[in-house]
Amino acid sequence: MATERTLSIIKPDAVKKNVIGQIFAMYEAAGLRIAATRKTFLTKAQAQAFYAVHAERPFYNSLVEFMTSGPVVVSVLEGADAIKKNREVMGATNPAQAAEGTIRKKFADSIEANAVHGSDAPETAAVEVAFFFPASEIY
Ligand code: CMP
């Protein structure tokens, strides 16, 4: 299994619930290391650019509004098979379908306010990590 890096965003709903530490603990329990992290407040332009792939979706404007409704925590997670492992720890996009013990089952409110984001493939992970972190800030 290759060592990979993936981007995590703890979204405004989960930051408001004060569960950043609990979510970090779930990453670590799954064998993922926090290689970089920062609390930030996305601008509208940043949220639009980050989710540009969804620009034609009916939920795009609402998603951008939600992602700019409060601070987020962006992190680079590193470990063996990190992209897949993180997606397992997060659970399904829709919390109604998320498995027991996953972050979204525990903390998500809806398909939009779903607590966390995680990269879905090696190509997107590389782009998403570079969106927030220069190589000199990842250890
Ligand atoms: P995320 O994994 O960050 O990727 C895109 C996001 O869009 C997703 O999590 C949700 O926050 C949001 N999203 C996906 N599908 C829908 C939907 N049907 N309605 C509203 N928001 C959605």
Side-chain angles (χ1 to χ4, degrees), residues 102-116:
T102 61
I103 294 170
R104 285 168 169 159
K105 179 72 178 184
K106 231 173 152 176
F107 299 121
D109 296 324
S110 67
I111 193 165
E112 179 176 83
N114 63 354
V116 282

Side-chain angles (χ1 to χ4, degrees), residues 4-137:
E4 291 176 337
R5 287 175 173 172
T6 188
L7 185 85
S8 147
I9 305 179
I10 301 180
K11 298 185 181 187
D13 58 322
V15 171
K16 280 192 189 104
K17 287 180 182 163
N18 200 24
V19 294
I20 296 167
Q22 291 186 61
I23 291 173
F24 276 4
M26 291 172 80
Y27 291 150
E28 290 176 345
L32 297 165
R33 289 180 54 256
I34 296 159
T37 192
R38 185 169 78 244
K39 196 174 198 181
T40 187
F41 205 134
L42 298 182
T43 63
K44 187 174 177 187
Q46 276 180 310
Q48 284 173 328
F50 185 82
Y51 281 119
V53 66
H54 296 304
E56 303 306 320
R57 303 279 193 100
F59 58 79
Y60 180 66
N61 288 338
S62 174
L63 175 62
V64 168
E65 199 170 309
F66 163 63
M67 290 300 292
T68 56
S69 66
V72 299
V73 174
V74 291
S75 306
V76 178
L77 307 178
E78 186 179 76
D81 216 8
I83 296 164
K84 184 163 159 255
K85 205 175 271 178
N86 183 38
R87 292 183 72 75
E88 286 168 5
V89 178
M90 289 194 303
T93 304
N94 185 347
Q97 283 148 21
E100 284 300 332
T102 61
I103 294 170
R104 285 168 169 159
K105 179 72 178 184
K106 231 173 152 176
F107 299 121
D109 296 324
S110 67
I111 193 165
E112 179 176 83
N114 63 354
V116 282
H117 167 83
S119 309
D120 64 0
E123 301 72 30
T124 43
V127 171
E128 292 181 359
V129 165
F131 188 94
F132 288 107
F133 295 97
S136 61
E137 290 181 6

